[in-house]
Amino acid sequence: VLALSQPELDNLIGGGVTIGGQPGQVNELIVAQAAHFQNVGKVSLVAGDGNMTLDSPLTAKGALTLITTGSIAQVEGAIVTAPALEVHAGHVSLMEANLVPAIAGSVSFGEFRFRAADSLIAGVAGSTLGLTTAGGLIDIKSGGVMMIDRPLDAHGGTVQLTGHGVASGKYGSVHGNGVAIYSTNGIGTAAAPLWMNTSYLHAENNQAGVANP
């Protein structure tokens, strides 16, 4: 069991730090109390082959990476705050009002579910390009405009996007057997249409938009 107090976290200084176990080791990583990495450029939390649970808020001044072959989840109020979030896990459910403007990553067997309180760039975070599952649901929610900046690929699964406007960047696209989009302020624009590769499309839109399946 590794327990670090906030004063100890404040002593971590430098370009980056990695905390936790390595692949092949079964380690459960729990953020049991509020953790603020304010003096480190990049933070990586690694749970090896165990699960990762956020029981308290997690804040990083720089890019944040969460890695495990198990599941990642957060309890009510355990908000993640970071300028960019990379997630690589077996299953991801981070559905609190997270203060994260950029998300990317992959899951190997389950779903990738994420919610941002404000506008969100999906598909680019740190060195990770894209957001993928191995057939599981991709469910991304944004309290503001959602920009798909690299491919979101459920590999035959379903992709569900919710935002105050949903559009694609130059390299963005959505891939899934089914795609559901819920927008309160348009889906795509003439300059930034939402590119999709899907067999089934469900769209609810309160404004004009351009979608290219």
Side-chain angles (χ1 to χ4, degrees), residues 97 173 208:
S173 57

Side-chain angles (χ1 to χ4, degrees), residues 10-93:
D10 291 342
N11 288 330
L12 298 175
I13 300 174
V17 63
T18 299
I19 297 175
Q22 298 302 314
Q25 300 176 342
V26 179
N27 299 288
E28 183 177 15
L29 193 153
I30 301 174
V31 178
Q33 60 184 17
H36 186 187
F37 294 87
Q38 57 188 358
N39 299 318
V40 180
K42 180 177 181 180
V43 175
S44 297
L45 300 184
V46 184
D49 290 337
N51 295 325
M52 185 181 301
T53 304
L54 307 183
D55 285 342
S56 295
L58 174 61
T59 302
K61 179 181 178 180
L64 176 64
T65 301
L66 307 178
I67 302 174
T68 178
T69 61
S71 297
I72 298 176
Q74 64 188 155
V75 303
E76 183 177 357
I79 294 171
V80 176
T81 303
L85 177 62
E86 300 175 65
V87 183
H88 300 282
H91 172 84
V92 174
S93 181

